[in-house]
Amino acid sequence: MARKKKRKAEEPSLKFSKVNLWFGLGGLATIVLGYYLLGQGSITLAPMLLVVGYVVLLPLAIIR
């Protein structure tokens, strides 16, 4: 009988690092600050912070 070679388990392509953690925490802080300012009546800065948090920072935390 021929011996079968064992292959090393392939590493997942998505890895969670400290950079992901900082982007995620920054995104969450930006979103919380945006909702706080929205509750205070800010109609210019709050939506911009929410868009940056949801559209830029959280996807970067997932992708990067």
Side-chain angles (χ1 to χ4, degrees), residues 23-37:
F23 275 126
L25 290 176
L28 287 175
T30 304
I31 290 169
V32 168
L33 181 62
Y35 278 118
Y36 174 75
L37 290 175

Side-chain angles (χ1 to χ4, degrees), residues 9 17-18 21-23 25 32-33 35 37 48-49 51 54 61:
S17 66
K18 288 185 180 183
L21 177 66
W22 286 112
F23 275 126
L25 290 176
V32 168
L33 181 62
Y35 278 118
L37 290 175
M48 288 191 293
L49 286 175
V51 167
Y54 279 119

Side-chain angles (χ1 to χ4, degrees), residues 10-17 20 59-64:
E10 294 182 20
E11 294 182 21
S13 61
L14 295 176
K15 296 180 181 178
F16 190 77
S17 66
N20 299 86
L60 274 176
I62 296 170
I63 294 171
R64 185 140 181 152

